Amino acid sequence: MPVAERVLLRPVTMGLLLQSLLLLLFLLGCCLRPATAFPKGCYPSEEEGLKTFRCSNARLTEIPRDIPNDTNKLYLDSNRIPFLPRDAFRDLPLLLELDLSHNVIASIESGAFRGLAEHLHSLDLSSNRLVSVSKDAFSNLRAKVNLSNNPWLCDCRLQELIRTVELVAGSSGGIVCDSSAQEEHVGKAFLQVIADTDFCNVYKKTTDIAMLVTMFGWFAMVISYLVYYVRQNQEDARRHLEYLKSLPSKQRRSEESSTISTVV
């Protein structure tokens, strides 16, 4: 082949080789790329025939995304998750067990467990920072719940929550009053406290008393106004009579006639 042709074909050959190399790298990248990029420290497995997803001690600060939606057991324990937002687990319709223990969860939004009511049978929220949670956060949930080792405020709200959920056997002793309106309750197991104290009944009585005090206050204001009004009218009438008496007799009779005509 002439030298001129070889010189002309060389750039074309190099271009084709470069395109082939890029295509090969692209195909290798597609084939080797993982189907889902899980957070560091998280991995799927299978335990006792159940699909499990473990994120224990993964330093998570929120509920991870891209959890396989066929997961049966989810372990998010020993992380730094501070709260549970609404619909946090809505894409996990087959979830049976959920472990959120040993986090820093301080609040749970209403609807956080929405979508889990039918299948979830175990929920572990022990060793977190829960002080007060609305019973609505657990509405329609049939799972057995572990609420032990949290700094609970013992009040009517906690009493309603305990009546709403089914506690894990043996975990009730770990629900201890970290704070309470009555100092003698602090440090005691909540179920022991409510055996003698009905927080909701006390709250209802307090509310009733407050309503009675408010109603009495309004009633006293109305009575005071009526008394003032009557006394003011009496004083005006007395002054008018004294004024009439001070007039000459003819003018007084004229004033009285005028007053009577006005009244008529």
Short mmCIF file of all heavy atoms in Angstrom, two decimals, residues 230-256:
data_model
loop_
_atom_site.label_atom_id
_atom_site.label_comp_id
_atom_site.label_asym_id
_atom_site.label_seq_id
_atom_site.Cartn_x
_atom_site.Cartn_y
_atom_site.Cartn_z
N VAL A 230 -78.66 49.10 87.84
CA VAL A 230 -79.82 49.43 88.67
C VAL A 230 -79.50 50.59 89.60
O VAL A 230 -80.29 51.54 89.74
CB VAL A 230 -80.27 48.19 89.49
CG1 VAL A 230 -81.32 48.59 90.52
CG2 VAL A 230 -80.83 47.13 88.55
N ARG A 231 -78.33 50.56 90.22
CA ARG A 231 -77.95 51.65 91.13
C ARG A 231 -77.79 52.96 90.39
O ARG A 231 -78.18 54.03 90.89
CB ARG A 231 -76.65 51.28 91.83
CG ARG A 231 -76.82 50.20 92.90
CD ARG A 231 -75.51 49.93 93.59
NE ARG A 231 -75.69 48.95 94.67
CZ ARG A 231 -74.67 48.51 95.42
NH1 ARG A 231 -73.44 48.95 95.20
NH2 ARG A 231 -74.92 47.63 96.38
N GLN A 232 -77.26 52.90 89.19
CA GLN A 232 -77.09 54.12 88.40
C GLN A 232 -78.43 54.72 88.04
O GLN A 232 -78.63 55.95 88.12
CB GLN A 232 -76.29 53.80 87.13
CG GLN A 232 -75.88 55.02 86.32
CD GLN A 232 -74.87 55.89 87.05
OE1 GLN A 232 -74.07 55.39 87.84
NE2 GLN A 232 -74.93 57.19 86.83
N ASN A 233 -79.41 53.88 87.67
CA ASN A 233 -80.76 54.37 87.34
C ASN A 233 -81.45 54.95 88.57
O ASN A 233 -82.16 55.98 88.48
CB ASN A 233 -81.60 53.24 86.75
CG ASN A 233 -81.21 52.94 85.31
OD1 ASN A 233 -80.48 53.72 84.69
ND2 ASN A 233 -81.66 51.81 84.79
N GLN A 234 -81.25 54.27 89.72
CA GLN A 234 -81.85 54.79 90.94
C GLN A 234 -81.28 56.16 91.29
O GLN A 234 -82.00 57.07 91.72
CB GLN A 234 -81.61 53.80 92.10
CG GLN A 234 -82.44 52.53 92.00
CD GLN A 234 -82.12 51.57 93.12
OE1 GLN A 234 -81.08 51.70 93.79
NE2 GLN A 234 -83.00 50.60 93.33
N GLU A 235 -79.97 56.30 91.10
CA GLU A 235 -79.32 57.57 91.40
C GLU A 235 -79.82 58.68 90.47
O GLU A 235 -80.10 59.81 90.91
CB GLU A 235 -77.81 57.42 91.26
CG GLU A 235 -77.00 58.65 91.61
CD GLU A 235 -77.09 59.00 93.08
OE1 GLU A 235 -77.44 58.12 93.89
OE2 GLU A 235 -76.81 60.17 93.42
N ASP A 236 -80.00 58.33 89.19
CA ASP A 236 -80.52 59.32 88.23
C ASP A 236 -81.95 59.72 88.59
O ASP A 236 -82.33 60.91 88.50
CB ASP A 236 -80.48 58.74 86.82
CG ASP A 236 -79.05 58.59 86.31
OD1 ASP A 236 -78.14 59.24 86.88
OD2 ASP A 236 -78.84 57.84 85.34
N ALA A 237 -82.76 58.72 88.99
CA ALA A 237 -84.15 59.02 89.36
C ALA A 237 -84.20 59.91 90.61
O ALA A 237 -85.02 60.85 90.71
CB ALA A 237 -84.91 57.72 89.60
N ARG A 238 -83.34 59.62 91.59
CA ARG A 238 -83.32 60.43 92.82
C ARG A 238 -82.93 61.87 92.51
O ARG A 238 -83.54 62.82 93.02
CB ARG A 238 -82.33 59.82 93.80
CG ARG A 238 -82.30 60.52 95.17
CD ARG A 238 -81.22 59.91 96.04
NE ARG A 238 -79.90 60.13 95.47
CZ ARG A 238 -79.24 61.30 95.53
NH1 ARG A 238 -79.80 62.34 96.16
NH2 ARG A 238 -78.05 61.42 95.00
N ARG A 239 -81.93 62.05 91.66
CA ARG A 239 -81.50 63.40 91.30
C ARG A 239 -82.60 64.15 90.56
O ARG A 239 -82.80 65.36 90.77
CB ARG A 239 -80.24 63.32 90.43
CG ARG A 239 -78.99 62.88 91.18
CD ARG A 239 -77.84 62.73 90.23
NE ARG A 239 -76.64 62.30 90.95
CZ ARG A 239 -75.49 61.99 90.33
NH1 ARG A 239 -75.41 62.07 89.02
NH2 ARG A 239 -74.46 61.61 91.05
N HIS A 240 -83.35 63.45 89.73
CA HIS A 240 -84.43 64.09 88.98
C HIS A 240 -85.55 64.54 89.92
O HIS A 240 -86.11 65.63 89.77
CB HIS A 240 -84.97 63.12 87.92
CG HIS A 240 -85.98 63.75 87.02
ND1 HIS A 240 -85.67 64.77 86.14
CD2 HIS A 240 -87.32 63.51 86.87
CE1 HIS A 240 -86.77 65.13 85.48
NE2 HIS A 240 -87.79 64.37 85.92
N LEU A 241 -85.86 63.71 90.92
CA LEU A 241 -86.90 64.07 91.88
C LEU A 241 -86.47 65.28 92.72
O LEU A 241 -87.28 66.18 92.99
CB LEU A 241 -87.20 62.88 92.79
CG LEU A 241 -87.97 61.72 92.14
CD1 LEU A 241 -88.09 60.55 93.11
CD2 LEU A 241 -89.36 62.18 91.70
N GLU A 242 -85.21 65.28 93.13
CA GLU A 242 -84.72 66.43 93.89
C GLU A 242 -84.78 67.71 93.07
O GLU A 242 -85.08 68.79 93.57
CB GLU A 242 -83.29 66.16 94.36
CG GLU A 242 -83.19 65.10 95.44
CD GLU A 242 -81.77 64.84 95.86
OE1 GLU A 242 -80.86 65.41 95.19
OE2 GLU A 242 -81.55 64.07 96.82
N TYR A 243 -84.47 67.56 91.78
CA TYR A 243 -84.53 68.73 90.89
C TYR A 243 -85.96 69.25 90.77
O TYR A 243 -86.21 70.47 90.82
CB TYR A 243 -84.00 68.33 89.53
CG TYR A 243 -84.24 69.37 88.45
CD1 TYR A 243 -83.50 70.56 88.41
CD2 TYR A 243 -85.21 69.16 87.49
CE1 TYR A 243 -83.75 71.51 87.43
CE2 TYR A 243 -85.45 70.09 86.51
CZ TYR A 243 -84.71 71.28 86.46
OH TYR A 243 -84.96 72.22 85.49
N LEU A 244 -86.93 68.32 90.66
CA LEU A 244 -88.34 68.74 90.56
C LEU A 244 -88.81 69.44 91.83
O LEU A 244 -89.56 70.41 91.79
CB LEU A 244 -89.23 67.53 90.26
CG LEU A 244 -89.05 66.87 88.87
CD1 LEU A 244 -89.95 65.65 88.75
CD2 LEU A 244 -89.39 67.88 87.77
N LYS A 245 -88.36 68.92 92.98
CA LYS A 245 -88.77 69.52 94.25
C LYS A 245 -88.21 70.92 94.42
O LYS A 245 -88.80 71.76 95.12
CB LYS A 245 -88.31 68.64 95.41
CG LYS A 245 -89.06 67.32 95.50
CD LYS A 245 -88.53 66.48 96.65
CE LYS A 245 -89.27 65.16 96.75
NZ LYS A 245 -88.75 64.31 97.85
N SER A 246 -87.06 71.17 93.80
CA SER A 246 -86.44 72.49 93.96
C SER A 246 -87.08 73.56 93.09
O SER A 246 -86.84 74.76 93.28
CB SER A 246 -84.94 72.39 93.62
OG SER A 246 -84.78 72.07 92.25
N LEU A 247 -87.94 73.19 92.14
CA LEU A 247 -88.59 74.15 91.25
C LEU A 247 -89.78 74.81 91.94
O LEU A 247 -90.38 74.22 92.85
CB LEU A 247 -89.06 73.44 89.99
CG LEU A 247 -87.96 72.87 89.06
CD1 LEU A 247 -88.60 72.08 87.93
CD2 LEU A 247 -87.08 73.98 88.51
N PRO A 248 -90.16 76.05 91.51
CA PRO A 248 -91.41 76.65 92.02
C PRO A 248 -92.58 75.75 91.71
O PRO A 248 -92.54 74.95 90.78
CB PRO A 248 -91.48 77.99 91.28
CG PRO A 248 -90.07 78.26 90.85
CD PRO A 248 -89.44 76.94 90.62
N SER A 249 -93.65 75.93 92.46
CA SER A 249 -94.80 75.01 92.33
C SER A 249 -95.38 74.98 90.94
O SER A 249 -95.67 73.92 90.39
CB SER A 249 -95.88 75.41 93.35
OG SER A 249 -96.30 76.75 93.12
N LYS A 250 -95.57 76.16 90.28
CA LYS A 250 -96.17 76.18 88.94
C LYS A 250 -95.25 75.50 87.93
O LYS A 250 -95.68 74.72 87.09
CB LYS A 250 -96.44 77.63 88.51
CG LYS A 250 -97.57 78.28 89.28
CD LYS A 250 -97.84 79.66 88.74
CE LYS A 250 -98.99 80.35 89.49
NZ LYS A 250 -99.27 81.70 88.96
N GLN A 251 -93.98 75.85 88.01
CA GLN A 251 -93.03 75.26 87.05
C GLN A 251 -92.91 73.77 87.30
O GLN A 251 -92.75 72.98 86.39
CB GLN A 251 -91.67 75.95 87.20
CG GLN A 251 -90.68 75.51 86.13
CD GLN A 251 -89.38 76.28 86.23
OE1 GLN A 251 -89.27 77.19 87.05
NE2 GLN A 251 -88.43 75.91 85.40
N ARG A 252 -92.98 73.40 88.64
CA ARG A 252 -92.88 71.98 88.96
C ARG A 252 -94.03 71.21 88.37
O ARG A 252 -93.85 70.13 87.81
CB ARG A 252 -92.82 71.80 90.49
CG ARG A 252 -92.58 70.33 90.86
CD ARG A 252 -92.30 70.17 92.35
NE ARG A 252 -93.44 70.57 93.16
CZ ARG A 252 -93.45 71.59 93.97
NH1 ARG A 252 -92.40 72.39 94.07
NH2 ARG A 252 -94.51 71.89 94.70
N ARG A 253 -95.27 71.81 88.50
CA ARG A 253 -96.43 71.10 87.94
C ARG A 253 -96.30 71.01 86.43
O ARG A 253 -96.66 70.01 85.82
CB ARG A 253 -97.71 71.84 88.34
CG ARG A 253 -98.13 71.60 89.80
CD ARG A 253 -99.57 72.01 90.02
NE ARG A 253 -99.74 73.44 89.80
CZ ARG A 253 -99.61 74.35 90.76
NH1 ARG A 253 -99.29 73.99 91.99
NH2 ARG A 253 -99.80 75.64 90.50
N SER A 254 -95.76 72.08 85.81
CA SER A 254 -95.57 72.07 84.36
C SER A 254 -94.57 70.99 83.95
O SER A 254 -94.76 70.27 82.99
CB SER A 254 -95.11 73.46 83.89
OG SER A 254 -94.84 73.44 82.52
N GLU A 255 -93.47 70.92 84.75
CA GLU A 255 -92.45 69.90 84.46
C GLU A 255 -93.02 68.49 84.62
O GLU A 255 -92.76 67.60 83.83
CB GLU A 255 -91.25 70.08 85.39
CG GLU A 255 -90.39 71.27 85.06
CD GLU A 255 -89.50 71.01 83.86
OE1 GLU A 255 -89.34 69.83 83.47
OE2 GLU A 255 -88.98 71.98 83.29
N GLU A 256 -93.87 68.34 85.71
CA GLU A 256 -94.44 67.02 85.93
C GLU A 256 -95.40 66.66 84.82
O GLU A 256 -95.43 65.51 84.34
CB GLU A 256 -95.16 67.00 87.28
CG GLU A 256 -94.21 67.08 88.47
CD GLU A 256 -94.97 67.17 89.79
OE1 GLU A 256 -96.21 67.37 89.75
OE2 GLU A 256 -94.33 67.04 90.85
#
